Amino acid sequence: MDLFNPFSLLGKTILITGASSGIGRGIAVACSKLGAKVIAVARKKDKLEETLRLMAGDEGQVYSCDLTSPEDTNVMVASLPHLDGVVHCAGVGQRVPCKLLKEKDVDDVMNINFKAPVLLQKELLAQKKINKGGSVVFIASIASTLPSFGNAVYSASKGAIISYANCLSLELAPRQIRVNCISPAMVWTDLAIQEGADEEQLKSDESKYPLKRYGTPDDIAYLTVYMLSDASTWMTGSNVRITGGVF
């Protein structure tokens, strides 16, 4: 007897940015295990190849692309098949006190965390690459509403992408394309270690979470799978916090 699985991604083609490591890699691997044909995108080809080796099946593809380059992005989009899902996960962190910020600091974060996904999404729509009934997911952060020292521009970039996604959800609703955000608290990734305190300090902070741990890429991946699957066909314009109990 075949088991009913509303979370299956069998037959769906899904584009995932930032798939060379961390949360993006976790999402790519999870989607492949649930039957999706995954197109993994990032800048580092060697890291993408590592992701490809971890993915299930033999239909996965990788695409090395600098998403801050409109030319690279447009060429990539033109080569894509029609998509049933898009996950905007590529991003960078930064900690600089407000009084020390330089224009380059602002551009470095906003170009990748906000401008790049907005322009990629524009091009996907302009070239009519997203199927009716598809799903678009933005990986945001609880930093958008939970301020911390030195995190102003990163927090602003995530708040901006949530506001953008809210408007996009209204524009795409007539085509039954869903648009949602996921806002995680701290997740154990290379980025968290690089941009945060040293590992001992992070472990100490982790113990303060009600569930006594930070998240893992799999925790975020499984929620993303729900948003990409047909189990969430009445969900759009939402921003779901996944935090281990942190408010």
Side-chain angles (χ1 to χ4, degrees), residues 14-18 23-24 27 31 85-90 120-121 135-139 182 224-225 228:
I14 297 171
L15 179 75
I16 302 168
T17 72
I23 293 173
I27 294 170
C31 288
V86 180
V87 182
H88 295 278
C89 187
L120 169 58
Q121 186 62 44
S135 175
V136 179
V137 180
F138 293 89
I139 305 301
I182 295 174
T224 307
V225 164
L228 292 169

Side-chain angles (χ1 to χ4, degrees), residues 20-64:
S20 59
S21 63
I23 293 173
R25 174 178 284 179
I27 294 170
V29 172
C31 288
S32 72
K33 290 179 177 178
L34 281 161
K37 175 183 177 180
V38 173
I39 302 172
V41 178
R43 284 179 293 183
K44 296 180 180 178
K45 185 67 178 292
D46 57 334
K47 292 290 188 180
L48 281 172
E49 293 292 347
E50 290 179 13
T51 299
L52 184 61
R53 287 192 288 271
L54 293 170
M55 286 161 49
D58 55 7
E59 291 193 313
Q61 299 178 17
V62 297
Y63 204 117
S64 179

Side-chain angles (χ1 to χ4, degrees), residues 147-162:
S148 61
F149 186 88
N151 214 27
V153 178
Y154 176 82
S155 297
S157 73
K158 295 303 185 179
I161 207 67
I162 292 168

Side-chain angles (χ1 to χ4, degrees), residues 23-24 28 32 64 76 91 100 105 110 118 122 175 185:
I23 293 173
S32 72
S64 179
M76 178 191 73
L100 299 179
D105 297 323
M110 294 301 292
V118 167
K122 182 272 298 184
R175 293 179 56 198

Side-chain angles (χ1 to χ4, degrees), residues 106-117:
V106 177
D107 289 343
D108 286 348
V109 174
M110 294 301 292
N111 283 346
I112 296 176
N113 290 5
F114 180 72
K115 186 176 179 180

